[in-house]
Amino acid sequence: QVQLVDSGGGLVQPGDSLRLSCAASGSIFSINSMGWYRQAPGKQRELLAYITSSGSTNYANSVKGRFTISRDNAKNTVELQMNNLKPEDTAVYYCTVHTVSPSMDYWGKGTLVTVSS
């Protein structure tokens, strides 16, 4: 079992930056990739970015160039630096990790990001 605590959301204005953080605990030795999703009201959950244990990253087109994912394997954390935020970035953001042996996905409870003037 892996427990995730995501944090860092809040109310910001368009063009502002925000940094989300997620701390993992429990069976952390089995964690492979770590990532972030978001879900806006009335929309499906969207994969934003993920980072593998070796540091390879992948981003959704909607956030490429504005968001940066990073992880600290020593601290078992993953962060999402979000720059030039737009109103359409308003959503609940979820941290997720994928473990091997067994192959499972775990989710944080989510942190709300609101971008509004």
Side-chain angles (χ1 to χ4, degrees):
Q1 294 282 333
V2 175
Q3 294 78 45
L4 301 174
V5 177
D6 37 28
S7 61
L11 172 62
V12 297
Q13 295 186 339
D16 284 353
S17 297
L18 206 58
R19 191 174 187 88
L20 305 182
S21 182
C22 176
S25 61
S27 301
I28 55 176
F29 58 89
S30 63
I31 292 176
N32 182 3
S33 61
M34 307 179 82
W36 290 92
Y37 278 75
R38 70 183 176 191
Q39 187 164 20
K43 294 188 177 181
Q44 291 187 328
R45 193 170 291 192
E46 174 190 16
L47 173 62
L48 300 178
Y50 69 83
I51 182 167
T52 67
S53 56
S54 63
S56 297
T57 59
N58 193 281
Y59 296 91
N61 288 334
S62 58
V63 303
K64 196 174 294 184
R66 297 191 298 125
F67 291 10
T68 302
I69 190 170
S70 60
R71 68 187 282 177
D72 185 328
N73 291 329
K75 295 181 179 180
N76 304 308
T77 58
V78 59
E79 295 188 330
L80 186 69
Q81 176 66 41
M82 306 185 294
N83 297 328
N84 190 23
L85 284 162
K86 305 174 181 179
E88 52 263 42
D89 293 319
T90 295
V92 178
Y93 285 68
Y94 298 91
C95 167
T96 184
V97 302
H98 179 75
T99 63
V100 296
S101 301
S103 176
M104 292 189 67
D105 295 313
Y106 294 89
W107 297 86
K109 293 185 177 180
T111 184
L112 177 62
V113 173
T114 303
V115 184
S116 176
S117 56

